[in-house]
Amino acid sequence: MPTSTTTTQPSIGSRLVDDAYISSLEAKLLLFERQRTTLQSELVTLKSSHTLSSTVLPSSIDDEYATPPSSLASTIVDPAPHPSDDEILSLALSRSSALNTHNLTRLHRLAGVTTFRMREPGQGGENLLGVRIEAFSQSKRSFEKPEYLFLRLDGNESWVLVRHSVPAFVGTAKLAEMYLPLPAKGAPRPVQKLDELIKQVRLRILKWRRREEMVESIRASAKAAGTVGDVTESWTVRVDSVWWDKEVTKVEIRWGNGMLVEMAVDATGDITKAVMKNRKGDRKRDIERTLIGPLESLPTKMGWIN
């Protein structure tokens, strides 16, 4: 009598585990294949191109940063006449690391603050910490002229602001007194907050540059609003001049019919007070009230733009 053989079927749970394991292996294999293809492509490109030592940084990098860091220069060397794949890959990775350091410096610049060490010119010049503060102009698509702070450590290991290039109205000296207090004779050394000083100076510079952008935009809108020779257009679009002070806290607009408005602007760029008069000195209080508010909304309120 033939003997029957019983085949044990795997459980549903074990089949699911096997399927998941196989799927994970397939995913890993696919990832490795992609990496292998990418590396092979890079190696072929490197072999067919000129040596890594002749590679230069892109011309789009600012002139100030066009010279590669010393770490980058030390990693780019003339390879052997017929380098191996490992040697080429090693060079590529080291160059990538150096470029990452270079790009990190540029990212710090985009953040608006960079620091550097310098020595005063002349024999016996002291070492200083330099802080460069930059604001990026959205309208110009470029950095504005940078402002600098120069500090030194005194005998008490306290930071002292030696000099700076920031306009006086920013109040850098007063901020330094607030955040970099110096110890009184015989008194314990007070806590200094250099990072807070830099933060506050930068914030005031950014607000000032932003106000500048606003009034420059206002002048451009006013200039474009009027139609030359069209005497039927409203007097509000026939602007003669737009003036503002260095700090951009006072703005004046003069029209062709003799109308003049003088406006006070706060640090955030809001018009807090407006006085409009005609040639006879009569006030236009109804218009004055409408001007109060964000400076950047002025062209819309005056009908220069829709």
Side-chain angles (χ1 to χ4, degrees):
M1 183 175 184
T3 304
S4 62
T5 303
T6 304
T7 304
T8 303
Q9 298 293 330
S11 65
I12 295 176
S14 64
R15 288 202 305 270
L16 289 175
V17 171
D18 289 342
D19 290 345
Y21 181 65
I22 292 172
S23 297
S24 67
L25 287 179
E26 291 176 344
K28 289 180 179 179
L29 285 172
L30 180 60
L31 177 61
F32 290 151
E33 285 293 334
R34 288 177 178 173
Q35 290 177 342
R36 179 173 176 271
T37 301
T38 301
L39 289 174
Q40 282 181 332
S41 175
E42 291 179 0
L43 287 173
V44 170
T45 301
L46 287 170
K47 286 181 177 180
S48 62
S49 63
H50 50 284
T51 60
L52 290 175
S53 60
S54 64
T55 303
V56 296
L57 293 177
S59 59
S60 59
I61 294 179
D62 298 334
D63 291 340
E64 185 176 1
Y65 292 102
T67 302
S70 58
S71 60
L72 176 58
S74 64
T75 60
I76 302 178
V77 297
D78 290 330
H82 299 287
S84 65
D85 289 353
D86 289 340
E87 289 172 333
I88 293 177
L89 185 57
S90 177
L91 283 169
L93 290 175
S94 63
R95 183 179 186 277
S96 175
S97 176
L99 281 176
N100 285 339
T101 302
H102 179 69
N103 289 335
L104 183 61
T105 301
R106 298 187 70 205
L107 285 175
H108 279 296
R109 188 188 181 202
L110 288 174
V113 176
T114 50
T115 59
F116 56 93
R117 295 282 182 178
M118 63 166 290
R119 182 183 291 274
E120 286 274 42
Q123 188 174 3
E126 59 185 351
N127 293 320
L128 300 178
L129 172 67
V131 180
R132 177 171 56 190
I133 302 175
E134 295 179 281
F136 188 81
S137 170
Q138 294 293 338
S139 59
K140 299 175 185 175
R141 299 297 181 186
S142 62
F143 284 99
E144 298 283 3
K145 177 188 170 213
E147 304 295 344
Y148 293 91
L149 308 179
F150 296 98
L151 306 104
R152 63 173 172 82
L153 281 174
D154 65 6
N156 297 315
E157 294 297 310
S158 297
W159 287 110
V160 178
L161 181 64
V162 178
R163 61 179 180 275
H164 63 85
S165 65
V166 186
F169 57 77
V170 173
T172 304
K174 289 185 178 180
L175 288 173
E177 292 176 2
M178 182 186 307
Y179 294 109
L180 301 180
L182 297 176
K185 189 174 182 180
R189 186 175 63 184
V191 177
Q192 291 190 321
K193 298 179 180 179
L194 178 57
D195 56 340
E196 192 64 26
L197 168 65
I198 297 172
K199 177 182 176 181
Q200 292 300 323
V201 172
R202 176 177 177 269
L203 182 61
R204 295 189 182 191
I205 290 175
L206 290 179
K207 288 182 178 179
W208 163 47
R209 292 299 191 183
R210 176 60 182 150
R211 295 195 301 273
E212 279 190 330
E213 282 198 271
M214 289 180 187
V215 290
E216 287 170 358
S217 175
I218 287 173
R219 182 169 60 184
S221 298
K223 184 177 180 181
T227 303
V228 177
D230 186 354
V231 296
T232 63
E233 63 186 2
S234 171
W235 65 267
T236 58
V237 298
R238 297 201 301 274
V239 177
D240 271 358
S241 62
V242 179
W243 173 91
W244 59 88
D245 64 346
K246 176 69 174 176
E247 190 177 357
V248 197
T249 55
K250 298 177 182 177
V251 180
E252 295 181 3
I253 303 175
R254 190 178 298 274
W255 282 265
N257 64 349
M259 196 74 71
L260 172 68
V261 63
E262 299 173 307
M263 296 169 285
V265 182
D266 65 12
T268 62
D270 282 351
I271 299 172
T272 58
K273 185 178 180 181
V275 177
M276 178 176 279
K277 297 180 180 180
N278 60 19
R279 279 199 177 97
K280 297 179 181 179
D282 300 327
R283 298 274 297 271
K284 299 292 182 179
R285 299 184 186 275
D286 55 335
I287 300 179
E288 292 173 359
R289 287 190 290 268
T290 65
L291 298 180
I292 303 301
L295 185 61
E296 58 190 345
S297 67
L298 184 63
T300 302
K301 292 178 179 178
M302 296 306 301
W304 300 338
I305 60 175
N306 296 325

